[in-house]
Amino acid sequence: MKVIIKKTTDEMSLAGAKIFAELICKKPNCILGLATGGTPVGLYKELIKMHKQDGLDFSKVTTFNLDEYLGLDGDHDQSYRYFMNDNLFNHVNIKKENTYVLNGVAADPQLFCDGYEMLIKAIGGIDLQLLGIGGNGHIAFNEPGSPRSSRTRIVDLTPETIAANSDGRFFSDPKDVPTQALSMGMATILDAKEILLIANKESKADAIVKTVEGPATEDVPASLLQAHSNTTVIIDEAAAAKLTKEYA
Ligand code: GLP
């Protein structure tokens, strides 16, 4: 794992966006894995700026999102499809038909998940996967205990994750948060050729020290990234506060 510590959240976002922009320039038809949550919003803003100011071209890019709430239609303002349209897709020249997000209202959700896996494989796999991290070390919606071998599937959300997503930023009432989601699995994520995990704020410091310096264990899903050959972690100083070793 390569760990890069930036002074501020803005610097973290810019450094992450540059990794995406470099790939898009080098491989215009790249396959990107994308994430939701508060953390990647700044990175998406930088990509939008690069598109508007420097002509960063998304016309041949394909994207796959990590997860979606079970039961939410893409028009629901808390769905991850809505989030992606709002925070990135509507502002760049990506073709909407090349943006894949799991369908939270699929008639047969598990069949939909199996098809998603097949599509990712058929298209050649994800070139660069963006990840945020939950306070308990979850990535996508792979909660602690998620098997290393897991693939896209229906998952239960922990009370901790439900609380984190209803703290006023997203849902206003925990009762409104779906209790299940569709999520790429750990094996799906680890298949990506390159992975970029970003984290900011003190509330992520515990999860980050366990991810980077703790043992690789399914109890801290993000720590399984230690076994991936091309993973970069970019964090701000607050999220790096509990690290004990020296990093760049
Ligand atoms: C949700 C998402 C994750 C995200 C996490 C952290 O659980 N499914 O993909 O990494 O929240 O979100 P935030 O960036 O808002 O802290």
Side-chain angles (χ1 to χ4, degrees), residues 52-248:
K52 297 213 155 118
Q53 291 177 358
D54 314 320
L56 183 65
D57 182 15
F58 288 79
S59 64
K60 296 189 181 73
V61 171
T62 297
T63 65
F64 286 88
N65 260 81
L66 286 167
D67 46 14
E68 179 59 285
Y69 288 109
L70 186 64
L72 294 198
D73 189 83
D75 290 335
H76 190 290
D77 66 1
Q78 290 305 328
S79 74
Y80 285 167
R81 159 56 76 185
Y82 189 100
F83 175 101
M84 288 311 303
N85 288 346
D86 202 32
N87 285 287
L88 181 65
F89 302 151
N90 287 348
H91 311 288
V92 295
N93 66 332
I94 197 161
K95 295 194 177 94
K96 279 280 169 61
E97 63 269 28
N98 292 340
T99 67
Y100 295 93
V101 182
L102 287 153
N103 180 0
V105 292
D108 185 336
Q110 189 52 56
L111 195 65
F112 190 91
C113 290
D114 297 344
Y116 204 71
E117 284 280 337
M118 281 162 61
L119 199 57
I120 294 172
K121 273 208 187 90
I123 215 158
I126 290 171
D127 292 307
L128 174 59
Q129 175 67 59
L130 179 64
L131 297 174
I133 185 169
N136 61 3
H138 77 251
I139 50 177
F141 271 132
N142 292 289
E143 297 281 19
S146 295
R148 158 73 183 78
S149 59
S150 53
R151 294 266 164 203
T152 308
R153 68 206 185 291
I154 303 169
V155 293
D156 295 327
L157 306 186
T158 61
E160 209 175 341
T161 297
I162 290 173
N165 286 301
S166 55
D167 61 359
R169 296 175 309 153
F170 300 116
F171 292 90
S172 44
D173 188 335
K175 285 202 274 320
D176 297 333
V177 184
T179 55
Q180 289 186 305
L182 306 181
S183 177
M184 278 189 200
M186 291 305 303
T188 325
I189 293 169
L190 289 163
D191 277 350
K193 293 167 192 130
E194 182 177 355
I195 296 175
L196 171 62
L197 186 147
I198 55 172
N200 63 338
K201 298 190 186 154
E202 203 193 329
S203 58
K204 301 292 171 69
D206 254 327
I208 286 297
V209 70
K210 286 181 185 155
T211 295
V212 174
E213 296 182 356
T217 162
E218 290 174 352
D219 295 339
V220 182
S223 68
L224 298 180
L225 298 171
Q226 290 172 17
H228 187 269
S229 59
N230 192 7
T231 289
T232 303
V233 175
I234 306 183
I235 49 183
D236 73 352
E237 282 187 346
K242 295 196 174 164
L243 293 177
T244 63
K245 297 182 189 151
E246 287 291 311
Y247 302 94

